[in-house]
Amino acid sequence: MDINSDAHTQHISQQFNAELEEVRNSLLAMGGSVEKQVSDAIRALIDADSELGKQVRKNDDQINAMELSIDEECARILARRQPAASDLRLVIACSKMSTDLERIGDEAAKIAGHAIELTEEGEAPKGYIETRHIGARVRRMVQESLTAFARFDTEMALRVAQEDKSVDLEYQSAMRELVTFMMEDPRSITRVLNIMWVLRSLERIGDHARNIAEHVIYLVKGTDVRHIGLKRMKEEVMEK
Amino acid sequence: MDINSDAHTQHISQQFNAELEEVRNSLLAMGGSVEKQVSDAIRALIDADSELGKQVRKNDDQINAMELSIDEECARILARRQPAASDLRLVIACSKMSTDLERIGDEAAKIAGHAIELTEEGEAPKGYIETRHIGARVRRMVQESLTAFARFDTEMALRVAQEDKSVDLEYQSAMRELVTFMMEDPRSITRVLNIMWVLRSLERIGDHARNIAEHVIYLVKGTDVRHIGLKRMKEEVMEK
């Protein structure tokens, strides 16, 4: 191989790495925007700030555009660079994670919609404390799943998956309480339903954060850990 | 090029086509199983058949396994065959569609869970007619999105997306009715909530069928039609 072709190969490979880096950065940027959407949606609800709620709904278009652009980048890299091994897994994982982030964005927009309705109806019903608490937890899950991705940190990813299970339990107990409250005070039905939909969205956001965490483990370890249960997931992560 | 290498190239390309065909068949097989899960879940609800409901929940593991196996096939094809153009789009679309099918399976399992709860509680509340009707519509949407994929039929895919919008409207009006019913008869709250969750799941299944339809348009036309609205989607599909 002569020097020229060597230089050419090196150039190609630098460009390839730059492209992989770019798609990774795009995903992290989308993650940052989605995280903000989630925290703004919860704030709109708790502060009864319908202006902020409207802003969140409006911003959802940008999140959708980011998803399309990341998928386009991924398809272009697959077509031109034909990545293998861990590079391929990175591209596949980014494409899957963009879908989860977009869905988190959708749920944030739904929460914002309920925040607007609740604000227009006036006084806050019971259930706000649970919403605030579960909201803070899933927001942290989203944040940590993205940090796990940024650092390729599988142990942090595992913690996100474990957290999801405990959030699900808290969600179920909050829902039971809300049902009781509804039965005791049927006049509150519409408003309590709004809170229930919010909780459902928060629980879904937790699921998507868990999905992202699972993609991080796949991309680092090369093992698909979806549907295998937390015990086996832990074994996969802890295996050297 | 000598005859041997020609034969070799032909052999490789035949094998490649066979692999693409296989992933396509796997996806259609998964689609068939998911379709059955949806229709069984609805039947369990309407016939108050909790045994069938339990069967649906049990079968969900198989659906999950199918998702993993399709994603594995896709990753293997990407790594070994480095597909381009429409072949690449087929692989990307299959990987995305497997996620949507798995989520449809999840929603079917949730519906089955509510069917079991409702059966154990006895008498059916109002809202069954809506469930039956919307259930039949989304089941057909799932079916047609898969037929559109099997035939690469973008016009059928477009109809699925259009149907989703009309199902959403019917869903909203059914939900309003259920809220009214709850307020008139607070003793029915728990049971009506079960029906509401079922409707929500059906509405989500419709969304996923629409996603599958959008992936079909992407794979045939090469244009990503997510988030662009039905009017522009129609223009893309009708463009020769």
Side-chain angles (χ1 to χ4, degrees), chain A residues 102-151:
Chain A
E102 190 267 337
R103 302 274 157 85
I104 294 177
D106 279 351
E107 300 297 340
K110 283 184 201 167
I111 293 172
H114 294 297
I116 295 168
E117 275 186 50
L118 282 162
T119 305
E120 281 165 5
E121 280 163 17
E123 204 51 56
K126 280 185 189 168
Y128 267 39
I129 297 161
E130 286 82 358
T131 310
R132 187 194 289 257
H133 190 227
I134 295 180
R137 287 182 78 181
V138 303
R139 206 174 59 204
R140 199 166 50 239
M141 283 176 70
V142 173
Q143 209 169 44
E144 287 184 349
S145 70
L146 291 164
T147 307
F149 172 63
R151 298 187 197 155

CSV table of all heavy atoms in Angstrom, one decimal, chain A residues 102-151:
chain,number,residue,atom,x,y,z
A,102,GLU,N,-38.5,10.5,21.1
A,102,GLU,CA,-39.6,11.1,20.5
A,102,GLU,C,-40.9,10.8,21.3
A,102,GLU,O,-41.8,11.7,21.5
A,102,GLU,CB,-39.7,10.7,19.1
A,102,GLU,CG,-40.8,11.5,18.3
A,102,GLU,CD,-42.1,10.9,18.2
A,102,GLU,OE1,-42.2,9.7,18.4
A,102,GLU,OE2,-43.1,11.6,18.0
A,103,ARG,N,-41.0,9.5,21.7
A,103,ARG,CA,-42.2,9.1,22.5
A,103,ARG,C,-42.3,9.8,23.8
A,103,ARG,O,-43.3,10.2,24.3
A,103,ARG,CB,-42.3,7.6,22.7
A,103,ARG,CG,-42.2,6.8,21.4
A,103,ARG,CD,-43.6,6.6,20.9
A,103,ARG,NE,-43.5,6.3,19.4
A,103,ARG,CZ,-43.3,5.1,18.9
A,103,ARG,NH1,-43.2,4.0,19.7
A,103,ARG,NH2,-43.2,4.9,17.6
A,104,ILE,N,-41.1,10.0,24.5
A,104,ILE,CA,-41.0,10.7,25.7
A,104,ILE,C,-41.6,12.1,25.5
A,104,ILE,O,-42.3,12.7,26.3
A,104,ILE,CB,-39.6,10.8,26.3
A,104,ILE,CG1,-39.2,9.3,26.7
A,104,ILE,CG2,-39.5,11.7,27.5
A,104,ILE,CD1,-37.7,9.2,27.3
A,105,GLY,N,-41.1,12.7,24.4
A,105,GLY,CA,-41.6,14.1,24.0
A,105,GLY,C,-43.1,14.1,23.9
A,105,GLY,O,-43.8,15.0,24.3
A,106,ASP,N,-43.7,13.1,23.2
A,106,ASP,CA,-45.1,13.0,23.1
A,106,ASP,C,-45.8,13.0,24.4
A,106,ASP,O,-46.8,13.6,24.6
A,106,ASP,CB,-45.5,11.7,22.4
A,106,ASP,CG,-45.4,11.8,20.9
A,106,ASP,OD1,-45.2,12.9,20.3
A,106,ASP,OD2,-45.5,10.7,20.2
A,107,GLU,N,-45.3,12.2,25.3
A,107,GLU,CA,-45.9,12.1,26.7
A,107,GLU,C,-45.8,13.4,27.4
A,107,GLU,O,-46.7,13.8,28.1
A,107,GLU,CB,-45.3,10.9,27.5
A,107,GLU,CG,-45.4,9.5,26.9
A,107,GLU,CD,-46.8,9.0,26.8
A,107,GLU,OE1,-47.7,9.5,27.4
A,107,GLU,OE2,-47.0,8.1,26.0
A,108,ALA,N,-44.7,14.1,27.2
A,108,ALA,CA,-44.5,15.4,27.8
A,108,ALA,C,-45.6,16.4,27.3
A,108,ALA,O,-46.2,17.1,28.0
A,108,ALA,CB,-43.1,16.0,27.6
A,109,ALA,N,-45.8,16.3,26.0
A,109,ALA,CA,-46.8,17.2,25.4
A,109,ALA,C,-48.2,16.8,25.9
A,109,ALA,O,-49.0,17.7,26.2
A,109,ALA,CB,-46.8,17.0,23.9
A,110,LYS,N,-48.5,15.5,26.1
A,110,LYS,CA,-49.8,15.1,26.7
A,110,LYS,C,-49.9,15.7,28.1
A,110,LYS,O,-51.0,16.2,28.5
A,110,LYS,CB,-49.9,13.6,26.8
A,110,LYS,CG,-50.2,13.0,25.4
A,110,LYS,CD,-50.4,11.5,25.6
A,110,LYS,CE,-50.2,10.7,24.3
A,110,LYS,NZ,-50.1,9.3,24.5
A,111,ILE,N,-48.8,15.6,28.9
A,111,ILE,CA,-48.9,16.1,30.3
A,111,ILE,C,-49.2,17.6,30.3
A,111,ILE,O,-50.0,18.1,31.0
A,111,ILE,CB,-47.5,15.8,31.0
A,111,ILE,CG1,-47.4,14.3,31.3
A,111,ILE,CG2,-47.5,16.6,32.4
A,111,ILE,CD1,-46.0,13.9,31.8
A,112,ALA,N,-48.5,18.3,29.3
A,112,ALA,CA,-48.7,19.7,29.2
A,112,ALA,C,-50.2,20.0,28.9
A,112,ALA,O,-50.8,21.0,29.4
A,112,ALA,CB,-47.8,20.3,28.1
A,113,GLY,N,-50.8,19.2,28.0
A,113,GLY,CA,-52.2,19.4,27.7
A,113,GLY,C,-53.1,19.2,28.9
A,113,GLY,O,-54.0,20.0,29.2
A,114,HIS,N,-52.8,18.2,29.8
A,114,HIS,CA,-53.6,18.1,31.0
A,114,HIS,C,-53.3,19.2,32.0
A,114,HIS,O,-54.2,19.6,32.7
A,114,HIS,CB,-53.3,16.7,31.7
A,114,HIS,CG,-53.7,15.5,30.9
A,114,HIS,ND1,-55.0,15.3,30.6
A,114,HIS,CD2,-53.0,14.6,30.2
A,114,HIS,CE1,-55.1,14.2,29.8
A,114,HIS,NE2,-53.9,13.7,29.6
A,115,ALA,N,-52.1,19.7,32.0
A,115,ALA,CA,-51.8,20.9,32.8
A,115,ALA,C,-52.6,22.1,32.5
A,115,ALA,O,-53.2,22.8,33.3
A,115,ALA,CB,-50.3,21.2,32.7
A,116,ILE,N,-52.8,22.3,31.1
A,116,ILE,CA,-53.6,23.4,30.7
A,116,ILE,C,-55.1,23.2,31.1
A,116,ILE,O,-55.7,24.1,31.7
A,116,ILE,CB,-53.5,23.5,29.1
A,116,ILE,CG1,-52.1,23.9,28.7
A,116,ILE,CG2,-54.5,24.5,28.6
A,116,ILE,CD1,-51.8,23.7,27.3
A,117,GLU,N,-55.6,22.0,30.9
A,117,GLU,CA,-57.0,21.7,31.3
A,117,GLU,C,-57.2,21.9,32.8
A,117,GLU,O,-58.2,22.6,33.2
A,117,GLU,CB,-57.4,20.3,31.0
A,117,GLU,CG,-57.9,20.1,29.6
A,117,GLU,CD,-58.4,18.7,29.3
A,117,GLU,OE1,-59.2,18.2,30.1
A,117,GLU,OE2,-57.9,18.0,28.3
A,118,LEU,N,-56.3,21.4,33.6
A,118,LEU,CA,-56.4,21.5,35.0
A,118,LEU,C,-56.3,23.0,35.5
A,118,LEU,O,-57.0,23.4,36.4
A,118,LEU,CB,-55.3,20.7,35.7
A,118,LEU,CG,-55.6,19.2,35.8
A,118,LEU,CD1,-54.3,18.4,36.1
A,118,LEU,CD2,-56.6,18.8,36.8
A,119,THR,N,-55.4,23.7,34.9
A,119,THR,CA,-55.3,25.1,35.2
A,119,THR,C,-56.6,25.9,34.9
A,119,THR,O,-57.0,26.7,35.7
A,119,THR,CB,-54.1,25.7,34.4
A,119,THR,OG1,-52.9,25.0,34.7
A,119,THR,CG2,-53.9,27.2,34.9
A,120,GLU,N,-57.2,25.6,33.8
A,120,GLU,CA,-58.4,26.3,33.4
A,120,GLU,C,-59.5,25.9,34.3
A,120,GLU,O,-60.4,26.7,34.5
A,120,GLU,CB,-58.7,26.0,31.9
A,120,GLU,CG,-57.9,26.8,31.0
A,120,GLU,CD,-57.9,26.3,29.6
A,120,GLU,OE1,-58.7,25.4,29.3
A,120,GLU,OE2,-57.2,26.9,28.7
A,121,GLU,N,-59.5,24.7,34.9
A,121,GLU,CA,-60.6,24.3,35.8
A,121,GLU,C,-60.4,24.9,37.2
A,121,GLU,O,-61.2,24.7,38.1
A,121,GLU,CB,-60.7,22.8,35.9
A,121,GLU,CG,-61.4,22.2,34.7
A,121,GLU,CD,-61.1,20.7,34.6
A,121,GLU,OE1,-60.6,20.1,35.5
A,121,GLU,OE2,-61.4,20.2,33.5
A,122,GLY,N,-59.2,25.4,37.5
A,122,GLY,CA,-59.0,26.0,38.8
A,122,GLY,C,-58.3,25.1,39.8
A,122,GLY,O,-57.3,24.4,39.4
A,123,GLU,N,-58.8,25.1,41.0
A,123,GLU,CA,-58.1,24.4,42.1
A,123,GLU,C,-57.5,23.0,41.8
A,123,GLU,O,-58.0,22.3,41.1
A,123,GLU,CB,-59.1,24.3,43.3
A,123,GLU,CG,-58.5,24.2,44.6
A,123,GLU,CD,-57.5,25.3,44.9
A,123,GLU,OE1,-57.8,26.5,44.8
A,123,GLU,OE2,-56.3,25.0,45.2
A,124,ALA,N,-56.3,22.8,42.4
A,124,ALA,CA,-55.7,21.5,42.3
A,124,ALA,C,-56.3,20.4,43.1
A,124,ALA,O,-56.6,20.6,44.3
A,124,ALA,CB,-54.2,21.6,42.6
A,125,PRO,N,-56.6,19.2,42.6
A,125,PRO,CA,-57.1,18.1,43.4
A,125,PRO,C,-56.0,17.4,44.1
A,125,PRO,O,-54.8,17.6,43.8
A,125,PRO,CB,-57.8,17.2,42.4
A,125,PRO,CG,-56.9,17.4,41.1
A,125,PRO,CD,-56.3,18.8,41.2
A,126,LYS,N,-56.4,16.5,44.9
A,126,LYS,CA,-55.4,15.6,45.5
A,126,LYS,C,-54.7,14.8,44.4
A,126,LYS,O,-55.2,14.7,43.3
A,126,LYS,CB,-56.1,14.5,46.4
A,126,LYS,CG,-56.4,15.1,47.8
A,126,LYS,CD,-57.0,14.0,48.7
A,126,LYS,CE,-57.5,14.7,49.9
A,126,LYS,NZ,-58.4,13.8,50.7
A,127,GLY,N,-53.5,14.3,44.7
A,127,GLY,CA,-52.8,13.6,43.7
A,127,GLY,C,-51.6,14.3,43.2
A,127,GLY,O,-50.7,13.8,42.5
A,128,TYR,N,-51.5,15.6,43.6
A,128,TYR,CA,-50.4,16.4,43.1
A,128,TYR,C,-49.1,16.0,43.8
A,128,TYR,O,-48.1,16.0,43.1
A,128,TYR,CB,-50.7,17.9,43.4
A,128,TYR,CG,-51.3,18.6,42.3
A,128,TYR,CD1,-52.3,18.0,41.5
A,128,TYR,CD2,-50.9,19.9,41.9
A,128,TYR,CE1,-52.8,18.6,40.4
A,128,TYR,CE2,-51.5,20.5,40.8
A,128,TYR,CZ,-52.5,19.9,40.1
A,128,TYR,OH,-53.0,20.5,39.0
A,129,ILE,N,-49.2,15.6,45.0
A,129,ILE,CA,-47.9,15.2,45.7
A,129,ILE,C,-47.3,14.0,45.0
A,129,ILE,O,-46.1,13.9,44.7
A,129,ILE,CB,-48.2,14.8,47.2
A,129,ILE,CG1,-48.7,16.1,47.9
A,129,ILE,CG2,-47.0,14.3,47.9
A,129,ILE,CD1,-49.4,15.8,49.2
A,130,GLU,N,-48.2,13.0,44.7
A,130,GLU,CA,-47.7,11.8,44.0
A,130,GLU,C,-47.1,12.2,42.6
A,130,GLU,O,-46.1,11.7,42.2
A,130,GLU,CB,-48.8,10.8,43.7
A,130,GLU,CG,-49.3,10.0,45.0
A,130,GLU,CD,-50.2,10.8,45.8
A,130,GLU,OE1,-50.5,12.0,45.5
A,130,GLU,OE2,-50.7,10.3,46.8
A,131,THR,N,-47.8,13.1,41.9
A,131,THR,CA,-47.4,13.5,40.6
A,131,THR,C,-46.0,14.2,40.7
A,131,THR,O,-45.1,13.9,39.9
A,131,THR,CB,-48.3,14.5,40.0
A,131,THR,OG1,-49.6,14.0,40.1
A,131,THR,CG2,-48.0,14.8,38.6
A,132,ARG,N,-45.9,15.0,41.7
A,132,ARG,CA,-44.6,15.7,41.9
A,132,ARG,C,-43.5,14.7,42.2
A,132,ARG,O,-42.4,14.8,41.6
A,132,ARG,CB,-44.7,16.7,43.1
A,132,ARG,CG,-43.6,17.6,43.3
A,132,ARG,CD,-43.6,18.3,44.6
A,132,ARG,NE,-44.7,19.2,44.7
A,132,ARG,CZ,-44.5,20.6,44.6
A,132,ARG,NH1,-43.3,21.0,44.5
A,132,ARG,NH2,-45.5,21.4,44.7
A,133,HIS,N,-43.8,13.8,43.0
A,133,HIS,CA,-42.8,12.8,43.4
A,133,HIS,C,-42.4,11.9,42.3
A,133,HIS,O,-41.2,11.7,41.9
A,133,HIS,CB,-43.3,12.0,44.6
A,133,HIS,CG,-42.2,11.2,45.3
A,133,HIS,ND1,-42.4,9.9,45.6
A,133,HIS,CD2,-40.9,11.5,45.6
A,133,HIS,CE1,-41.3,9.4,46.1
A,133,HIS,NE2,-40.4,10.3,46.1
A,134,ILE,N,-43.4,11.2,41.7
A,134,ILE,CA,-43.1,10.3,40.5
A,134,ILE,C,-42.5,11.1,39.4
A,134,ILE,O,-41.6,10.6,38.7
A,134,ILE,CB,-44.4,9.6,40.1
A,134,ILE,CG1,-44.8,8.7,41.3
A,134,ILE,CG2,-44.1,8.8,38.8
A,134,ILE,CD1,-46.1,7.8,41.0
A,135,GLY,N,-43.0,12.3,39.2
A,135,GLY,CA,-42.4,13.2,38.1
A,135,GLY,C,-40.9,13.4,38.3
A,135,GLY,O,-40.1,13.3,37.4
A,136,ALA,N,-40.5,13.7,39.6
A,136,ALA,CA,-39.1,14.0,39.8
A,136,ALA,C,-38.3,12.7,39.6
A,136,ALA,O,-37.2,12.8,39.0
A,136,ALA,CB,-38.9,14.4,41.3
A,137,ARG,N,-38.9,11.6,39.9
A,137,ARG,CA,-38.1,10.3,39.7
A,137,ARG,C,-38.0,10.0,38.2
A,137,ARG,O,-36.9,9.6,37.8
A,137,ARG,CB,-38.9,9.2,40.4
A,137,ARG,CG,-38.7,9.2,41.9
A,137,ARG,CD,-39.4,8.0,42.6
A,137,ARG,NE,-38.6,6.8,42.5
A,137,ARG,CZ,-39.0,5.7,43.0
A,137,ARG,NH1,-40.2,5.5,43.6
A,137,ARG,NH2,-38.2,4.6,42.9
A,138,VAL,N,-39.0,10.1,37.4
A,138,VAL,CA,-38.8,9.7,36.0
A,138,VAL,C,-38.0,10.8,35.3
A,138,VAL,O,-37.3,10.4,34.4
A,138,VAL,CB,-40.2,9.5,35.3
A,138,VAL,CG1,-41.0,8.4,35.9
A,138,VAL,CG2,-41.0,10.8,35.1
A,139,ARG,N,-38.1,12.0,35.7
A,139,ARG,CA,-37.2,13.0,35.1
A,139,ARG,C,-35.7,12.6,35.3
A,139,ARG,O,-34.9,12.7,34.4
A,139,ARG,CB,-37.5,14.4,35.7
A,139,ARG,CG,-37.1,15.5,34.8
A,139,ARG,CD,-37.6,16.8,35.5
A,139,ARG,NE,-36.9,17.0,36.8
A,139,ARG,CZ,-37.4,17.8,37.7
A,139,ARG,NH1,-38.6,18.4,37.6
A,139,ARG,NH2,-36.7,17.9,38.9
A,140,ARG,N,-35.4,12.2,36.6
A,140,ARG,CA,-34.1,11.7,36.9
A,140,ARG,C,-33.7,10.5,36.0
A,140,ARG,O,-32.6,10.4,35.6
A,140,ARG,CB,-33.9,11.5,38.4
A,140,ARG,CG,-32.5,11.5,38.8
A,140,ARG,CD,-32.3,11.6,40.3
A,140,ARG,NE,-33.2,10.6,41.0
A,140,ARG,CZ,-34.1,10.9,41.8
A,140,ARG,NH1,-34.4,12.1,42.2
A,140,ARG,NH2,-34.9,9.9,42.4
A,141,MET,N,-34.7,9.6,35.8
A,141,MET,CA,-34.4,8.4,35.0
A,141,MET,C,-34.0,8.8,33.6
A,141,MET,O,-33.1,8.2,33.0
A,141,MET,CB,-35.6,7.5,35.0
A,141,MET,CG,-35.9,6.7,36.2
A,141,MET,SD,-37.4,5.8,36.1
A,141,MET,CE,-37.0,4.5,34.8
A,142,VAL,N,-34.7,9.8,33.0
A,142,VAL,CA,-34.4,10.2,31.7
A,142,VAL,C,-33.0,10.8,31.6
A,142,VAL,O,-32.2,10.4,30.8
A,142,VAL,CB,-35.4,11.3,31.2
A,142,VAL,CG1,-35.0,11.8,29.8
A,142,VAL,CG2,-36.8,10.7,31.1
A,143,GLN,N,-32.7,11.6,32.6
A,143,GLN,CA,-31.4,12.3,32.7
A,143,GLN,C,-30.3,11.2,32.8
A,143,GLN,O,-29.3,11.3,32.1
A,143,GLN,CB,-31.4,13.1,34.0
A,143,GLN,CG,-30.5,14.3,34.0
A,143,GLN,CD,-30.9,15.1,35.3
A,143,GLN,OE1,-31.1,14.6,36.3
A,143,GLN,NE2,-31.0,16.4,35.1
A,144,GLU,N,-30.5,10.2,33.7
A,144,GLU,CA,-29.5,9.3,33.9
A,144,GLU,C,-29.3,8.3,32.7
A,144,GLU,O,-28.2,7.8,32.5
A,144,GLU,CB,-29.7,8.5,35.2
A,144,GLU,CG,-29.5,9.3,36.4
A,144,GLU,CD,-29.7,8.6,37.8
A,144,GLU,OE1,-30.2,7.5,37.8
A,144,GLU,OE2,-29.3,9.2,38.8
A,145,SER,N,-30.4,8.0,32.0
A,145,SER,CA,-30.3,7.1,30.9
A,145,SER,C,-29.4,7.8,29.8
A,145,SER,O,-28.6,7.2,29.1
A,145,SER,CB,-31.6,6.7,30.3
A,145,SER,OG,-32.3,7.8,29.7
A,146,LEU,N,-29.5,9.1,29.7
A,146,LEU,CA,-28.7,9.9,28.7
A,146,LEU,C,-27.3,10.0,29.2
A,146,LEU,O,-26.4,9.9,28.4
A,146,LEU,CB,-29.4,11.3,28.5
A,146,LEU,CG,-30.7,11.2,27.8
A,146,LEU,CD1,-31.4,12.5,27.9
A,146,LEU,CD2,-30.5,10.9,26.3
A,147,THR,N,-27.1,10.2,30.5
A,147,THR,CA,-25.7,10.2,31.0
A,147,THR,C,-25.0,8.9,30.8
A,147,THR,O,-23.9,8.8,30.4
A,147,THR,CB,-25.7,10.6,32.5
A,147,THR,OG1,-26.5,11.8,32.7
A,147,THR,CG2,-24.3,10.8,33.0
A,148,ALA,N,-25.8,7.8,31.0
A,148,ALA,CA,-25.3,6.5,30.8
A,148,ALA,C,-24.8,6.3,29.4
A,148,ALA,O,-23.8,5.7,29.1
A,148,ALA,CB,-26.3,5.4,31.2
A,149,PHE,N,-25.6,6.9,28.5
A,149,PHE,CA,-25.3,6.8,27.0
A,149,PHE,C,-24.0,7.7,26.8
A,149,PHE,O,-23.1,7.2,26.1
A,149,PHE,CB,-26.4,7.3,26.2
A,149,PHE,CG,-26.1,7.5,24.7
A,149,PHE,CD1,-25.7,6.4,24.0
A,149,PHE,CD2,-26.2,8.7,24.1
A,149,PHE,CE1,-25.4,6.5,22.6
A,149,PHE,CE2,-25.8,8.9,22.8
A,149,PHE,CZ,-25.5,7.8,22.0
A,150,ALA,N,-24.0,8.9,27.3
A,150,ALA,CA,-22.8,9.8,27.1
A,150,ALA,C,-21.5,9.2,27.6
A,150,ALA,O,-20.5,9.3,26.9
A,150,ALA,CB,-23.1,11.1,27.8
A,151,ARG,N,-21.6,8.4,28.7
A,151,ARG,CA,-20.4,7.8,29.2
A,151,ARG,C,-20.2,6.4,28.9
A,151,ARG,O,-19.3,5.7,29.5
A,151,ARG,CB,-20.4,8.0,30.8
A,151,ARG,CG,-20.5,9.4,31.2
A,151,ARG,CD,-20.4,9.4,32.8
A,151,ARG,NE,-20.8,10.7,33.3
A,151,ARG,CZ,-21.3,10.8,34.6
A,151,ARG,NH1,-21.4,9.7,35.4
A,151,ARG,NH2,-21.7,12.0,35.0
